[in-house]
Amino acid sequence: MFKIIENPYLQEEILTIIILIVFLILKSIIAKIVIKYATLNDALEHRTNLIIKYINILLGVLAILSIVIIWGVKRDQILLFISSVFAVVGVASFAQWSILSNITAGIVLFFSYPFKIGDVIKIHDKDFPIEAEIEDIKAFYILLKTIDGETITYPNNLLMQKGISVIKKHKEISEFTD
């Protein structure tokens, strides 16, 4: 007859499947929430896709970390593993502080920025005041075009630290509507 084979990894397999299902569900729900937020605030589609991409990367890293813990780390070594991961991430974050701060500032600007592409803004910097039109808002920097035609790339993290005045609003049609 049939012999029942006992699977010693059944618990790990079930937890892995659960994590993958939760990852896919969260990915879908968060994408819908971000798109709805972007539609309500007339955000550009490529900026919205960039934010969704960052959130998906974060969710993916968390899912992979969870699966590694389930499969590769014994329960008595979880604290050692987590502290090692945080040490590596801490060193990498310190080494790449500028890049990470610009990405974080780009995400914050997406959800709470008072200006949009096409607006004319004034950056209140005592050493280098800028009055320019916003051409594009990227992940790491913002593209500005001055009255003289000069194109300036301004880091997102500095944009969060300086005072900004919106001089002229630009009306824009949302890319999400038909």
Side-chain angles (χ1 to χ4, degrees), residues 101-119:
S101 67
N102 281 318
I103 290 173
T104 305
I107 292 171
V108 170
L109 286 173
F110 175 79
F111 286 107
S112 65
Y113 61 106
F115 43 81
K116 295 182 168 102
I117 294 173
D119 290 352

Side-chain angles (χ1 to χ4, degrees), residues 28-159:
S28 174
I29 290 172
I30 291 174
K32 288 178 184 176
I33 290 170
V34 171
I35 288 172
K36 189 171 191 166
Y37 179 85
T39 303
L40 292 173
N41 292 304
D42 294 326
L44 293 176
E45 187 175 3
H46 75 277
R47 296 243 330 123
T48 304
N49 292 337
L50 189 65
I51 297 301
I52 292 171
K53 180 175 140 185
Y54 289 153
I55 292 171
N56 287 342
I57 290 171
L58 176 65
L59 288 174
V61 167
L62 290 175
I64 289 170
L65 185 62
S66 299
I67 291 170
V68 165
I69 289 172
I70 289 170
W71 284 94
V73 179
K74 294 182 182 175
R75 289 190 176 125
D76 60 337
Q77 296 178 345
I78 287 177
L79 187 59
L80 176 65
F81 176 76
I82 291 173
S83 64
S84 299
V85 167
F86 278 128
V88 170
V89 168
V91 169
S93 296
F94 183 74
Q96 298 298 326
W97 179 253
S98 177
I99 292 172
L100 293 174
S101 67
N102 281 318
I103 290 173
T104 305
I107 292 171
V108 170
L109 286 173
F110 175 79
F111 286 107
S112 65
Y113 61 106
F115 43 81
K116 295 182 168 102
I117 294 173
D119 290 352
V120 176
I121 63 168
K122 181 175 183 179
I123 300 173
H124 302 283
D125 185 356
K126 69 176 185 173
D127 297 328
F128 189 60
I130 300 172
E131 186 172 323
E133 179 181 350
I134 299 173
E135 283 192 332
D136 200 1
I137 303 172
K138 304 271 187 192
F140 302 104
Y141 57 89
I142 186 170
L143 282 175
L144 302 169
K145 188 163 196 153
T146 64
I147 297 170
D148 301 330
E150 180 182 14
T151 300
I152 299 172
T153 57
Y154 202 80
N156 286 338
N157 62 347
L158 289 180
L159 198 64

